[in-house]
Amino acid sequence: MRPSFALRLAAITTLLYGIAHTWALYTIHARDSLEGLVLYMMRSHDFDFGGTTHSYWDTYFGFGLLVSVWLFVLGVLAWQMGSLVEREPAHARPLMLTLLIGYVALCVVNSLYFFALPTLLSVAITILVIGALLRSKPKLATASD
């Protein structure tokens, strides 16, 4: 698999991950009365946060949106790296390594604190980025360079 193709697959998977994360955030509902009570308390208790008043729900929801935004940004960056790795593999490799470190961290956090789907998506993306990194070879200098 060419590095550009692996990065484009990683980008598409990341964008789908972002869409799923955003959809899940907007469709949160209580499955039982205890969860309903927790959600009610999160929405009804306000606190001072950096000079403004917000509920725990506002903070939870806002952080969820931040995660979605960064998943979309990572997806776009992975797509752009798919082009860069074809033209300038030596310049793309450090960026891919940075992306890889971030996805490995996502795998760890997802496996510790969340459920199977985000963990599986993170693992799949990590494998694609590893493949792209291993297959990207810096172009050799020629006499005309």
Side-chain angles (χ1 to χ4, degrees), residues 17 103 106-126:
Y17 184 177
Y103 279 117
L106 265 177
C107 289
V108 171
V109 171
N110 280 330
S111 67
L112 291 174
Y113 298 104
F114 298 103
F115 50 97
L117 183 59
T119 302
L120 292 173
L121 288 171
S122 298
V123 168
I125 296 164
T126 300

Side-chain angles (χ1 to χ4, degrees), residues 3 85 89-90 93 132-140:
V85 73
R93 289 177 62 80
L133 189 59
L134 292 176
R135 293 185 181 273
S136 66
K137 303 282 191 239
K139 292 182 181 176
L140 297 174

Side-chain angles (χ1 to χ4, degrees), residues 10-121:
I12 291 167
T13 306
T14 302
L15 292 170
L16 290 173
Y17 184 177
I19 290 168
H21 186 272
T22 306
W23 174 80
L25 189 60
Y26 277 97
T27 58
I28 292 173
H29 64 281
R31 293 173 290 188
D32 59 39
S33 59
L34 186 57
E35 285 182 10
L37 179 61
V38 169
L39 290 174
Y40 171 78
M41 294 304 292
M42 286 176 69
R43 288 180 172 119
S44 63
H45 182 74
D46 292 338
F47 62 99
D48 183 48
F49 185 73
T52 60
T53 302
H54 292 285
S55 68
Y56 281 99
W57 176 257
D58 293 339
T59 304
Y60 175 86
F61 191 80
F63 275 116
L65 286 176
L66 284 175
V67 170
S68 292
V69 167
W70 283 111
L71 286 168
F72 292 129
V73 169
L74 285 171
V76 170
L77 287 174
W79 188 270
Q80 291 170 338
M81 273 188 266
S83 297
L84 182 63
V85 73
E86 291 293 316
R87 293 187 320 269
E88 302 283 341
H91 290 105
R93 289 177 62 80
L95 298 172
M96 286 190 287
L97 183 59
T98 302
L99 195 65
L100 176 62
I101 291 167
Y103 279 117
V104 168
L106 265 177
C107 289
V108 171
V109 171
N110 280 330
S111 67
L112 291 174
Y113 298 104
F114 298 103
F115 50 97
L117 183 59
T119 302
L120 292 173
L121 288 171

